[in-house]
Amino acid sequence: MTALTTTINSDQQDGAMQARDIAVNLPTVTVRDPVAKAVRVMALGRQPGLIVVDEAGRPHTVLPGTQVLRLAIPESFQADPALCRAIDEAHADLFWQELGNLTVGDCLPDPPAKPVLVKPDANLLEVAALMARMRSPLVAVVDRDRVLLGAITLERLLTSLAVVGPGD
């Protein structure tokens, strides 16, 4: 199934910061990767979410951290919070390690969420507006062929905006 895309196009502005200027390389996962690996990649990299890429390395979907967490929690516990209280504390902390062979693809909604994408020349207001509208703390920066060039995290965006604040 082909994922739909939310992309912002912009005209290059002289001297203004653009998406390409603040994008960073972040680890990605594929739909074939185990959910446990996705949780570890996000946690160890202190990422606000994950970019799930296809076989060609193009963004398939962008998952905010809360969505990655949802991958790791069995649906029965999400549907009935009372079940969570029925598990003893020693085992409650280990739930995510018992995911078995579940892959990221097994846990994605059908159809998966639209990837949150910007072109390299998007300005910071465009990136901020897209993050806010899509409720995503992570945006993939892609070229015209949708090849992943990097990512912008909410923290990186806010830091960049603060550094280039009024009067600076």
Side-chain angles (χ1 to χ4, degrees):
M1 171 163 273
T2 304
L4 298 174
T5 308
T6 300
T7 307
I8 294 215
N9 296 308
S10 70
D11 297 325
Q12 185 159 350
Q13 299 174 3
D14 293 329
M17 258 194 195
Q18 297 177 328
R20 71 169 56 88
D21 300 324
I22 64 170
V24 295
N25 290 324
L26 293 178
T28 60
V29 295
T30 69
V31 294
R32 293 183 311 273
D33 284 327
V35 172
K37 176 185 176 184
V39 172
R40 281 188 188 97
V41 165
M42 191 184 84
L44 295 176
R46 301 183 72 136
Q47 294 178 210
L50 290 173
I51 298 173
V52 180
V53 295
D54 64 16
E55 304 78 35
R58 291 183 175 89
H60 177 67
T61 191
V62 175
L63 297 173
T66 54
Q67 294 300 314
V68 175
L69 185 59
R70 287 186 73 195
L71 297 178
I73 301 172
E75 285 186 38
S76 57
F77 290 104
Q78 292 180 49
D80 186 0
L83 286 176
C84 297
R85 291 187 294 277
I87 304 296
D88 65 83
E89 289 189 28
H91 290 93
D93 293 347
L94 303 174
F95 71 90
W96 74 276
Q97 294 176 357
E98 298 173 8
L99 296 170
N101 296 325
L102 282 179
T103 66
V104 171
D106 293 334
C107 301
L108 290 177
D110 188 27
K114 298 175 184 179
V116 183
L117 310 175
V118 294
K119 297 289 184 188
D121 62 350
N123 66 43
L124 300 192
L125 176 57
E126 291 173 299
V127 174
L130 180 63
M131 279 184 171
R133 185 174 70 251
M134 301 301 291
R135 297 179 180 172
S136 179
L138 184 63
V139 173
V141 179
V142 297
D143 66 14
R144 72 174 59 138
D145 296 321
R146 290 190 62 221
V147 172
L148 184 63
L149 301 175
I152 300 172
T153 63
L154 177 60
E155 178 185 15
R156 181 95 170 146
L157 175 66
L158 293 177
T159 300
S160 298
L161 291 171
V163 169
V164 199
D168 291 343

